Amino acid sequence: MSGWPPLLVAWIGLLVLLALELGSALLLHLPATASLFGMAQAAIVVIAFMRIRRGSPLMHIFGAAGLFWLIVLLALGNLDPLTRTDLIVQTTGNPR
Amino acid sequence: MHFQYSSAEHQAESAMSGMWLFLAQEILFFGALVFVWVYCCYQHPAGFRLATQHANLLIGSINTAVLLTSSFTFTAGLLAIERGEPRRLIQACFATIGLGVVFLLLKGVEWFKDVGDGLVPGAHFSLTGPDSGGAQIFYVFYYVATVLHALHMIIGIGLVLWIAWRARRGDFSRAWSTPVEVVGLYWSFVDVVWLTLYPLIYLAAL
Amino acid sequence: MSVTVDTPRVSYLTEENTIGSWLLTTDHKRIALLYFASITGFFFLGGIAAALMRINLLTPTGAIVSHEMYNRLFTMHGVVMVWFFLVPAIPVTLGNFIVPLMLGARDLAFPKLNLVSWYLFMTGGLFATYSLFAGGLDTGWTFYTPLSTDYTKGHVVAVAIGIFISGFSSIATGVNFIVSIHRLRAPGMGWYRMPLMLWSLYATSVIYVLATPVLAMTLILLGFETVFHVGIFDQRLGGDPLLFQHLFWFYSHPAVYIMILPGFGVMSEVLTTFSQKGIFGYKFIAWSSVAIAVISFFVWGHHMFVAGTSVYSAITFSLLSFMVSVPSAIKVFNWLGTLHKGYIKFDAPMLYALGFLGLFTIGGLTGLFVAALGADVHLTQTYFVVAHFHYIMVGGMVSAFFAGLHYWWPKITGRLYPEMWARAAAFLIFFGFNLTFFPQFILGYLGMPRRYAAYPPEFQVLNVLSSAGSTILAVAYLMPVFYLGYSLRHGARSPSNPWHATGLEWKTQSPPRTENFPIIPIVTEPPYNYPRPEDRTRAA
C-alpha cells in the first residue's frame, strides 16, 4: 500500500469506525463491542500508517511476539480471578 | 554509517527492526495496564460502570479523532519525503505536533474537570455508595494510564520536532529517510495505545 | 590467522586511555569492562549483607544486629543481588564483550544504546543503593503489598525508582543483542552455526525485552499506591493484593531464567573446549534455550500456591512448572553426553563448569519438589526454598559466571591467570557453597521459616554449619579478586587461542583491536568443529 489514496481511505475508515464504536455503545447499548472496534482501528493503523506489510519478516516476528506474550499475560493472569472461590468470612464473632 | 554494517540499507533495516522490538516491549508495558483493567473490572463490574459513566466521553472522543488525524499527517509526511519533498515533510511534522499539542491541552482540560468533579481516589472521592471502592480503583487505572500515555505523547512530540529540524537541515532525501520512518512507527504506536485505552476508559464498562 | 605472542600490539585497551575515552566509549568491549567494575561492586555489597546475616544466625536469638536491621539486611541482599548482579551479570559483561566477537561483527547493532544502558544501570543502581543505606527497606526484595504500601517505613518508592531505571538498561541490552544476532552474523554463519552461547543470550534477551516492561508498570502502580495511599492493590477499596503478586511474578519468574540461561551458554562453550569435542545434541540445546524462554512465562503462579489463588489456577501453574524442567534436563543430559569420551582437561574454567553441573542439577531437582502442589504447602516460605534457589542462582549462575570469566579472561585482558590459584578457588567455592546451603535444605524440611532473625534452639547446629560454610565461600569469592588482579599486570601474555578452542572470538588477537577483526571472517564450518574421538585415535 503506497501513495495518498489508501492513506486517506484509512483515515476516513478510522473516523467511521470511531463513530460506529460510539454508536454501538451509546445507541445499541453494546458497550463490550467498543474494544472490538478499538482493535479494528489499531489493526488499520498498523497496516496503513505503520506499513507492516512492507516490513521485513523480522519486524513481523517482533510484533507478533509482543502480541503473543500479551495474550499469555491476559489469559494465564485472569485464570485465577475468573475461577476463584470466594469464601464468606464471618464477621460476627469479632472480639472487641 | 557505523562500521559494523555492510551498507546503509543494512543499517536502516536494523534500525527499523530495533524499533519494532522496542514496540513489542511497549505492548507488554501497556499490556500490563490492560491486564489490570480486565482483572479489576471482573471483580468490580458495578464500580467500573459507575466510574465510566462519569468519564468525559466528549473530550475523550474528540481526542481520539485528533490523534488518528495526527498519525495520518505524519504518515503523509513520510510519503512526501519518499517522493523527495522535504518541505512537505516539515509541514506534516508541524501539523502532527499541532495535533499532538491539541490532544495534550484537551487532556489537561479533562484532568482539570475530573479533579474539579472530585474524581480523585481517596478520602474525598465524590462517587460514594457501595460501588465507590471499585470506582476509585478505576480512577487509579485512569490516571496512571492517561499520564503514561501523555508522557509518551510528549516524547513523541520531541521526536517529531527533531525530525522537522533535521529535515530543515536537509538530512533526508528520497534515497534515505530511515529516522522519519522509525519515528513514524513510534508515533503511530502511541496512537494504537490510545485506541486500546479509549474503549476501556470511556465505553467498555458502561 | 595466527598472531605472534610477544610483539607489543595495539588493542582496544591501548587505543586511547583518557577518562573520557572510557566513559564515552561506544566500543562493546570497553562497555563490558565498565559493567565488570560495576557488577563486581554490587556483588560484594550484596555479599557483605549476606555475610552479616549468616553471622547473625549463629545464635538462636541473633548474634549481632537487631531484628529490624536483619530485615533490612535480607532486603538489601535480595534487591542488590537480584537486580544489580544476577539479572545483568553474564549478559552485560561477558555477553557484551563476546557477542560481536562470536558473531564475527565489529560491534553490537546499537553501540550508543549500549553505552546508554550502562548509564541507566549505574543511575538506577546508585539510586537504589543510596536509598538502601539512607533509610533502608525491610519488605524483602518482593515488595509484597500491603506491607510495602501501607506499613513499612522504608524507602519503597526510591528503591522502586532505582529498579525501574535499571530495568530499562536490561531492555536496551536485550534489544541490542536480539537485533545484533539477527542482523550482524558474519557471512556464512547460519543459525545452526552459531555458538550455543548466542542462542542462550538470545533467549535471555527475549525475556529481558518482554518481561521487564511488566515489572516497570508494576513498580509504577506500587509507587502510586505508596505515595498517595490509594491504589489498585488497596483492600480498603476492595482491591486485590494478589494482583500485585501476579504482576510481580510475571516478570520475576522469567527473571529467574534471565539469571540462569546465560550460564547455560557459558557451559556449552566451556565443556566443549575442555573436552576438545563437539557438542552433543546441538539443536536440542539450542532449542531448549528458546523453549525455556517461552515456557518461563507460563509458570509464575507457582509462587502463589498458598496465597489464595484459585485451585484451577494452581493446578495449571503446577503442571506448567513441571514442563519447564524438561528443557533444562535436556541440556544437562546433553552436556554429560558431550563429556563422554572427551579429552577432558581440568583447567579452572572446567572445574567451575563441573561444579555448575552438580549444583544446578540439585537446584533444578529440588525445584520439582516445590512445583508440586502438595509438597509446596509444607515447604513454601521455609529455608528449603532459600536453598533451592541459591543452588540455582549462586551454585549455578555464579559458578557459570566464574567459569566464563576465567575462560575468556585471556581474551579480555590478553593475560593468563595463575592456574593453581584459580583451581583452588574453584574447589573452595564448590565446598563452601555446599556447606552453606545443604544444611538449609534440611532446616527448611524441618520447618524453619525464611526471613526470621531468630529461630528455635534445636536448629542451631545446622545454622552454625551453614554460617561456617559461608565464611569459606566468602574467602573463595575474594580469591579471584586478588589473583585476577595480579594477572592484569604480571600474568603471562596470552596467545590468541590459549585453549585451542573453536569459535570466531579465538581467531582474532588477544586482546582484540577496537574493530575486532581486521577483515570480517567468513564462516565455513559448523561450531565446535573439534576432531572426532575416532579420528584422534586413528591419528595416534
Side-chain angles (χ1 to χ4, degrees):
Chain A
M1 196 185 285
S2 66
W4 284 85
L7 204 61
L8 212 60
V9 170
W11 178 55
I12 293 167
L14 284 167
L15 293 179
V16 170
L17 276 177
L18 176 61
L20 289 175
E21 185 176 357
L22 274 168
S24 74
L26 300 178
L27 303 177
L28 303 178
H29 302 289
L30 295 169
T33 58
S35 299
L36 293 179
F37 283 105
M39 284 182 218
Q41 287 174 316
I44 291 180
V45 170
V46 170
I47 293 168
F49 296 160
M50 297 169 81
R51 306 197 296 190
I52 187 141
R53 292 195 300 181
R54 285 175 43 170
S56 65
L58 187 54
M59 300 172 202
H60 299 168
I61 291 170
F62 289 164
L67 273 184
F68 172 76
W69 263 277
L70 175 62
I71 291 166
V72 170
L73 172 63
L74 292 177
L76 276 177
N78 283 302
L79 178 65
D80 165 36
L82 293 180
T83 60
R84 211 182 279 172
T85 328
D86 284 324
L87 298 175
I88 309 299
V89 179
Q90 293 288 330
T91 51
T92 43
N94 217 7
R96 307 237 160 156
Chain B
M1 196 172 86
H2 287 294
F3 67 175
Q4 69 271 41
Y5 293 107
S6 58
S7 66
E9 200 183 328
H10 188 195
Q11 181 167 1
E13 205 170 312
S14 301
M16 290 283 289
S17 305
M19 192 52 170
W20 272 102
L21 189 55
F22 176 76
L23 295 183
Q25 178 273 137
E26 289 278 47
I27 291 178
L28 267 293
F29 183 68
F30 283 102
L33 271 179
V34 175
F35 171 57
V36 164
W37 188 92
V38 176
Y39 191 108
C40 295
C41 185
Y42 178 78
Q43 292 185 330
H44 306 280
F48 268 52
R49 188 168 177 187
L50 176 69
T52 306
Q53 283 163 351
H54 287 80
N56 200 325
L57 180 61
L58 180 64
I59 296 187
S61 306
I62 294 173
N63 258 345
T64 310
V66 167
L67 207 54
L68 287 173
T69 311
S70 77
S71 256
F72 167 73
T73 55
F74 194 85
T75 315
L78 176 60
L79 287 186
I81 193 66
E82 280 173 352
R83 281 201 316 270
E85 299 169 10
R87 274 179 58 89
R88 281 284 171 82
L89 170 61
I90 297 169
Q91 286 164 0
C93 282
F94 281 105
T96 308
I97 291 166
L99 289 164
V101 171
V102 168
F103 178 96
L104 287 176
L105 288 175
L106 283 174
K107 194 81 234 165
V109 171
E110 187 181 350
W111 281 328
F112 189 74
K113 280 174 170 268
D114 291 335
V115 174
D117 291 345
L119 295 172
V120 182
H124 306 290
F125 192 63
S126 62
L127 306 177
T128 51
D131 298 324
S132 172
Q136 292 188 55
I137 289 177
F138 175 90
Y139 272 96
V140 173
F141 161 81
Y142 166 80
Y143 286 111
V144 172
T146 50
V147 167
L148 286 175
H149 180 263
L151 283 176
H152 278 75
M153 290 287 296
I154 291 168
I155 294 169
I157 289 172
L159 289 173
V160 176
L161 259 176
W162 175 68
I163 290 294
W165 175 73
R166 287 194 65 178
R168 250 197 80 170
R169 224 173 53 173
D171 284 1
F172 304 128
S173 65
R174 183 196 290 253
W176 185 74
S177 58
T178 309
V180 187
E181 209 170 355
V182 171
V183 169
L185 283 180
Y186 177 83
W187 185 267
S188 292
F189 181 81
V190 175
D191 199 354
V192 168
V193 170
W194 179 254
L195 290 172
T196 313
L197 292 178
Y198 168 71
L200 297 185
I201 293 172
Y202 301 97
L203 294 169
L206 270 180
Chain C
M1 136 190 36
S2 72
V3 181
T4 42
V5 178
D6 43 14
T7 45
R9 280 159 310 181
V10 182
S11 75
Y12 78 101
L13 291 169
T14 59
E15 181 113 319
E16 188 192 347
N17 265 320
T18 57
I19 291 179
S21 76
W22 278 88
L23 291 182
L24 294 175
T25 179
T26 54
D27 180 4
H28 67 102
K29 300 182 284 301
R30 287 192 168 199
I31 294 171
L33 292 193
L34 292 176
Y35 263 124
F36 261 120
S38 337
I39 294 279
T40 308
F42 285 119
F43 177 70
F44 282 104
L45 180 63
I48 290 168
L52 290 173
M53 279 153 68
R54 276 322 320 172
I55 295 171
N56 198 52
L57 288 170
L58 277 171
T59 65
T61 49
I64 47 170
V65 296
S66 68
H67 291 191
E68 290 75 20
M69 189 62 194
Y70 183 84
N71 291 348
R72 288 188 196 157
L73 280 175
F74 74 66
T75 303
M76 177 154 123
H77 173 68
V79 167
V80 170
M81 283 301 202
V82 169
W83 277 297
F84 301 106
F85 178 71
L86 288 165
V87 163
I90 291 185
V92 299
T93 54
L94 296 171
N96 238 334
F97 193 93
I98 220 73
V99 164
L101 287 166
M102 283 185 159
L103 287 169
R106 298 200 192 280
D107 206 326
L108 287 169
F110 310 116
K112 283 182 201 157
L113 185 65
N114 200 12
L115 181 65
V116 168
S117 94
W118 182 71
Y119 278 100
L120 286 172
F121 177 73
M122 286 314 287
T123 313
L126 294 177
F127 208 87
T129 316
Y130 173 75
S131 330
L132 287 169
F133 277 107
L137 182 68
D138 55 4
T139 62
W141 73 281
T142 49
F143 295 107
Y144 273 10
T145 60
L147 172 63
S148 57
T149 50
D150 280 346
Y151 297 101
T152 181
K153 292 185 182 64
H155 290 290
V156 175
V157 178
V159 177
I161 290 173
I163 297 168
F164 179 84
I165 295 171
S166 71
F168 284 97
S169 94
S170 296
I171 293 171
T173 304
V175 168
N176 229 332
F177 282 6
I178 291 179
V179 175
S180 302
I181 291 173
H182 273 286
R183 304 284 306 164
L184 294 179
R185 279 173 284 133
M189 181 177 277
W191 282 87
Y192 291 132
R193 282 187 179 172
M194 293 197 315
L196 286 162
M197 177 85 180
L198 292 179
W199 278 89
S200 61
L201 284 175
Y202 186 92
T204 312
S205 303
V206 169
I207 308 178
Y208 269 156
V209 173
L210 295 171
T212 316
V214 175
L215 175 74
M217 186 56 83
T218 314
L219 292 172
I220 289 173
L221 292 166
L222 176 76
F224 186 96
E225 184 153 345
T226 311
V227 173
F228 298 111
H229 294 290
V230 62
I232 59 166
F233 311 123
D234 191 343
Q235 317 85 310
R236 286 166 304 195
L237 305 180
D240 189 353
L242 280 185
L243 175 55
F244 174 82
Q245 298 184 22
H246 277 298
L247 286 166
F248 181 82
W249 290 112
F250 181 86
Y251 163 80
S252 294
H253 196 78
V256 171
Y257 295 92
I258 290 180
M259 302 176 207
I260 197 70
L261 270 168
F264 292 162
V266 173
M267 287 297 289
S268 299
E269 301 304 315
V270 171
L271 289 177
T272 47
T273 298
F274 293 97
S275 46
Q276 288 289 303
K277 183 164 166 283
I279 193 90
F280 183 83
Y282 177 93
K283 285 186 185 175
F284 277 91
I285 297 186
W287 283 103
S288 64
S289 292
V290 179
I292 288 172
V294 175
I295 300 173
S296 71
F297 282 88
F298 302 166
V299 303
W300 80 82
H302 68 214
H303 292 273
M304 302 157 68
F305 284 161
V306 297
T309 55
S310 90
V311 176
Y312 302 101
S313 150
I315 292 172
T316 311
F317 279 118
S318 175
L319 289 175
L320 288 165
S321 303
F322 282 121
M323 270 174 58
V324 79
S325 67
V326 174
S328 311
I330 288 176
K331 280 177 188 291
V332 171
F333 288 123
N334 279 307
W335 289 326
L336 293 178
T338 305
L339 295 175
H340 180 63
K341 287 192 175 175
Y343 282 70
I344 295 175
K345 284 186 295 175
F346 292 102
D347 290 290
M350 186 64 160
L351 292 180
Y352 282 110
L354 292 175
F356 173 103
L357 264 184
L359 301 177
F360 173 74
T361 305
I362 295 175
L365 283 176
T366 50
L368 293 177
F369 299 12
V370 283
L373 278 173
D376 186 63
V377 173
H378 175 62
L379 297 173
T380 191
Q381 292 294 328
T382 69
Y383 266 84
F384 191 89
V385 177
V386 175
H388 153 64
F389 70 73
H390 279 87
Y391 262 84
I392 298 221
M393 291 180 192
V394 187
M397 152 58 206
V398 180
S399 296
F401 178 74
F402 277 116
L405 183 62
H406 287 81
Y407 179 58
W408 282 299
W409 187 258
K411 182 56 64 183
I412 294 169
T413 62
R415 305 271 186 170
L416 297 171
Y417 57 82
E419 184 63 39
M420 287 323 290
W421 282 100
R423 289 186 194 182
F427 271 114
L428 270 184
I429 285 177
F430 185 80
F431 177 70
F433 178 85
N434 278 304
L435 189 56
T436 311
F437 290 102
F438 201 84
Q440 297 189 5
F441 276 128
I442 305 168
L443 280 171
Y445 183 76
L446 295 175
M448 178 166 161
R450 61 192 283 205
R451 291 179 170 161
Y452 278 79
Y455 54 85
E458 64 261 35
F459 292 141
Q460 190 169 10
V461 175
L462 287 167
N463 268 300
V464 170
L465 269 181
S466 178
S467 297
S470 68
T471 49
I472 299 175
L473 199 54
V475 172
Y477 280 145
L478 277 171
M479 280 166 65
V481 177
F482 292 106
Y483 68 76
L484 289 179
Y486 169 85
S487 82
L488 275 180
R489 281 218 168 275
H490 309 286
R493 296 264 180 195
S494 164
S496 61
N497 187 2
W499 313 119
H500 309 291
T502 62
L504 292 178
E505 77 266 31
W506 303 108
K507 298 211 160 74
T508 188
Q509 66 174 38
S510 305
R513 285 166 175 268
T514 302
E515 74 274 20
N516 291 348
F517 301 95
I519 37 166
I520 293 291
I522 294 172
V523 182
T524 53
E525 50 179 33
Y528 314 115
N529 199 14
Y530 295 100
R532 293 184 306 167
E534 49 269 33
D535 297 341
R536 275 176 196 275
T537 17
R538 210 170 299 144

